Amino acid sequence: MREVSSEDCKRLQLNILINVAKFCDEHNIKYSLAYGTLIGAIRHKGFIPWDDDIDIIMMRNDYDRFVSLYHDSSFQLVDGNHHANHLHVRVADMSTLIVFQHSEIKRKFYNGGVWVDVFPIDNVPQSEKDYRSFMKQVRFLCHLQKCGELSFKTIWKGNLISRILRAFLYLIVKPLVRPIGVLSGKMMLKYNGNHSEKVANVSLWYLKYPSFNSSQMDETIDVEFEDHQFKAIKNYDEFLRGIYGDYMTPPPPEDRIPRHDYIAYWR
C-alpha cells in the first residue's frame, strides 16, 4: 500500500469539511469548528501547521439530525459509539485506510479512512461538583469498556501481577464491551431535556474538558480556514480560553507534534 502524505491527508480532510459544511447549510444544521481546528482558523487562517485533524461540534439535536440524514457517495459516516474512545461519529474518505501504530486496543485497522470528527454537545449538571461526579461515572464505564478491547501486547506489559490483572479484566469485560458501549451512549444523554444551562462534549471523556454555557452555541459567525469560510461559535474566545487558556500563543517547538498515532494509506 502507498502511504498518504501529510499534505494529502490535510487536503482530504478539508474536502470532507467542505462537503459536511455544505450539507449542514443545506439542511439547516448548526455546527461549529472546534478545538485545534478552531484555533487554527483564528490563529493561522487554516490548519495549525503541526496539527493533523479536523474537529467540529454540534448540539445533540443537530448532531442526531446530521447522523440520520447525512449521505454522500464519496464519504462514509463511521459510527464509533461502541468503542470506548469514540463515542461520536466520523466522516471518512473510504479511498484511504488508517493503520494505528501503537494502539493499546485490538483495532489496528480502523474501519474507515482519513476522517473529520463530528462531536455531539450534551447537557450536563449545572453545578461543577455534580458535573465532575457525572464525568467520573462516564470515565469509569469507558475505562471498563476499554479493558475488553485491549490488545494482547498491551495485556502482556509489565510484571506478572499486572499481566494477570489485565488478563482477568479482559476475560470478564470482553463479552460485555457492546452492552457497556450502549450504556455509555445512554449515559451521555442523561441530562438532555433538563433545565441545566451547562453543556459539554461528554464523548471526549478522557480529556477532562470543562463544561460551558449552552448560550455559547446559539450564534455562529463565518471564519476563514484554508481559503474557505466555515461556521464557528461567535463567542469563540471564551470557549477556547476555557479549555486552553492563552490559545493565541503557540506552544514551544518541542510540543508542536501531531496528536494521532497512525499512518494513512491509499487503498
Side-chain angles (χ1 to χ4, degrees):
M1 292 186 293
R2 183 165 57 92
E3 186 174 336
V4 181
S5 69
S6 59
E7 288 307 308
D8 278 340
C9 274
K10 289 182 178 181
R11 177 181 56 81
L12 293 171
Q13 289 169 340
L14 179 61
N15 288 340
I16 297 171
L17 178 60
I18 292 169
N19 176 275
V20 168
K22 183 175 183 289
F23 180 89
C24 288
D25 289 342
E26 290 174 349
H27 291 82
N28 197 29
I29 294 173
K30 188 181 292 184
Y31 74 94
S32 172
L33 303 185
Y35 312 122
T37 310
L38 183 51
I39 292 177
I42 303 304
R43 197 170 69 197
H44 303 275
K45 305 294 185 186
F47 282 98
I48 295 175
W50 53 92
D51 200 7
D52 61 353
D53 69 349
I54 288 179
D55 300 322
I56 65 176
I57 55 175
M58 302 174 181
M59 288 297 295
R60 173 62 69 171
N61 288 342
D62 287 304
Y63 176 86
D64 286 346
R65 286 188 61 230
F66 176 78
V67 171
S68 66
L69 295 174
Y70 181 80
H71 177 77
D72 189 85
S73 58
S74 300
F75 308 120
Q76 183 172 317
L77 202 64
V78 180
D79 183 0
N81 281 344
H82 299 302
H83 296 295
N85 278 3
H86 302 120
L87 297 173
H88 64 283
V89 296
R90 288 169 166 171
V91 182
D93 185 316
M94 302 306 289
S95 68
T96 59
L97 173 72
I98 296 295
V99 180
F100 292 103
Q101 297 302 291
H102 301 98
S103 178
E104 292 183 347
I105 58 179
K106 286 182 178 180
R107 293 173 297 112
K108 183 177 181 182
F109 292 89
Y110 167 62
N111 182 28
V114 172
W115 71 78
V116 166
D117 282 311
V118 183
F119 295 105
I121 299 296
D122 291 293
N123 285 91
V124 295
Q126 183 76 27
S127 78
E128 184 62 25
K129 180 180 178 182
D130 290 342
Y131 172 61
R132 288 197 300 267
S133 176
F134 168 66
M135 289 306 298
K136 283 181 181 178
Q137 296 173 55
V138 175
R139 288 185 196 107
F140 172 77
L141 284 175
C142 292
H143 279 302
L144 187 64
Q145 181 183 357
K146 200 171 180 180
C147 289
E149 299 179 327
L150 293 176
S151 65
F152 179 79
K153 183 178 180 180
T154 301
I155 293 172
W156 217 240
K157 280 182 179 179
N159 58 38
L160 181 61
I161 295 176
S162 297
R163 296 175 186 178
I164 292 173
L165 286 174
R166 286 197 197 96
F168 179 71
L169 279 171
Y170 171 79
L171 291 172
I172 290 178
V173 177
K174 185 177 183 294
L176 302 174
V177 164
R178 185 165 289 272
I180 294 173
V182 171
L183 183 59
S184 299
K186 290 181 178 179
M187 190 75 170
M188 295 170 65
L189 309 177
K190 182 176 180 180
Y191 291 92
N192 288 343
N194 287 15
H195 297 295
S196 173
E197 296 177 357
K198 292 290 187 178
V199 294
N201 185 348
V202 183
S203 66
L204 285 179
W205 56 270
Y206 45 91
L207 293 180
K208 298 186 179 181
Y209 282 171
S211 62
F212 57 96
N213 291 326
S214 59
S215 60
Q216 291 187 36
M217 295 290 294
D218 290 344
E219 295 185 69
T220 60
I221 59 172
D222 290 329
V223 295
E224 183 180 342
F225 186 88
E226 298 295 337
D227 298 321
H228 295 271
Q229 296 293 310
F230 299 103
K231 301 297 182 184
I233 51 178
K234 185 176 182 179
N235 196 0
Y236 62 80
D237 184 69
E238 183 179 348
F239 175 80
L240 291 174
R241 288 189 185 279
I243 299 171
Y244 304 104
D246 180 15
Y247 64 90
M248 291 301 289
T249 301
E254 62 269 20
D255 293 333
R256 299 176 187 179
I257 54 176
R259 294 184 297 113
H260 292 105
D261 182 25
Y262 65 76
I263 297 176
Y265 296 93
W266 297 106
R267 290 183 188 268

